[in-house]
Amino acid sequence: MPKPYEVVGEGLGRPRTPAVRDNSRHQWEKNRARRPRPERAESGVTERDTGLRTGDLVFYAKYRETGASGELAELFGVPEGTALVERTYRTRCAAESAPFSLVTSYLVRDMLAGNPDLLDDGKEPWPGGTQNQLFTVGIEVDRIEERVTARPPTPQEARVLELPPGTSVLVVRKTSYDIQDRAVDITHITLPGDRTELVFTTALERW
């Protein structure tokens, strides 16, 4: 599996593939979570957001075990220090050098005990994404909460995302809750402000 690209230079000044992230992507992913593997393997949310094909993408994932910090412990509702699986993801267009985003996801290790494959980053990219992974251990996602803020990038973020000067990043904290109202996945996502559009559509109940 390729290493995350962290060199700046070649991609600067060239058009960058835009990504449109809308909240219907979560239902789209849930609808596919129980589909046969060949269907799940055809595409993922990055392809959906960018319009690219799977063969156009370079994917990187790295897992490691870590202990729950105070903030993560509170969000998960577990004791501080509880074993978590930290998953780092970077996906980029093969014709570009910068990833679309910087993604770090956390899962409670004990929740994954029923499927050892969920502890192996060699199984990535996983057809069907996180919702299918959780489905394999009997977890159904009920709702997803996303909190979005904007800020200047850190020097490392600016370098890895190849941001033009003055470009902000959008920071998303995504929390997935299961049908028992437990937080089952907490993901921190850093999106480059120059190539990401966020779209939120809210369906209203009729009178």
Side-chain angles (χ1 to χ4, degrees):
M1 196 170 288
K3 295 182 179 180
Y5 202 99
E6 295 193 1
V7 177
V8 178
E10 295 182 8
L12 294 178
R14 297 182 182 179
R16 287 149 62 90
T17 303
V20 179
R21 181 186 177 93
D22 70 273
N23 52 327
S24 65
R25 73 203 302 269
H26 307 307
Q27 185 62 55
W28 181 85
E29 184 179 2
K30 183 171 184 176
N31 291 345
R32 299 172 69 254
R34 296 186 294 172
R35 303 300 299 167
R37 181 185 175 91
E39 184 177 335
R40 288 184 279 113
E42 288 177 357
S43 65
V45 288
T46 302
E47 292 91 325
R48 184 179 185 275
D49 290 351
T50 63
L52 297 174
R53 297 171 299 178
T54 301
D56 297 327
L57 301 173
V58 177
F59 186 84
Y60 167 88
K62 182 67 177 178
Y63 294 3
R64 74 181 184 101
E65 186 172 315
T66 187
S69 64
E71 179 186 15
L72 287 172
E74 182 178 358
L75 291 169
F76 276 119
V78 299
E80 192 167 343
T82 295
L84 305 179
V85 177
E86 180 188 87
R87 310 181 304 170
T88 300
Y89 296 108
R90 304 285 185 268
T91 303
R92 64 176 175 87
C93 174
E96 301 171 12
S97 53
F100 290 107
S101 59
L102 309 177
V103 180
T104 305
S105 165
Y106 297 92
L107 305 171
V108 177
R109 193 184 190 284
D110 284 351
M111 289 185 183
L112 312 180
N115 186 356
D117 284 349
L118 301 184
L119 305 175
D120 181 4
D121 57 25
K123 303 295 184 181
E124 294 281 5
W126 187 282
T130 296
Q131 291 204 46
N132 177 263
Q133 290 174 316
L134 294 172
F135 168 69
T136 69
V137 288
I139 295 173
E140 178 185 354
V141 175
D142 175 70
R143 70 185 192 278
I144 295 174
E145 176 187 275
E146 294 183 289
R147 295 176 178 269
V148 184
T149 56
R151 59 167 172 78
T154 66
Q156 182 181 10
E157 290 168 344
R159 183 175 70 253
V160 176
L161 294 171
E162 297 184 3
L163 298 176
T167 303
S168 296
V169 292
L170 301 169
V171 180
V172 181
R173 190 183 75 190
K174 171 189 164 191
T175 305
S176 301
Y177 295 90
D178 72 356
I179 58 176
Q180 300 178 50
D181 204 32
R182 301 178 300 175
V184 293
D185 173 36
I186 296 171
T187 302
H188 297 147
I189 307 162
T190 304
L191 301 162
D194 68 322
R195 69 191 298 185
T196 305
E197 180 181 359
L198 303 181
V199 178
F200 301 98
T201 302
T202 303
L204 303 179
E205 294 184 7
R206 295 188 179 184
W207 287 328

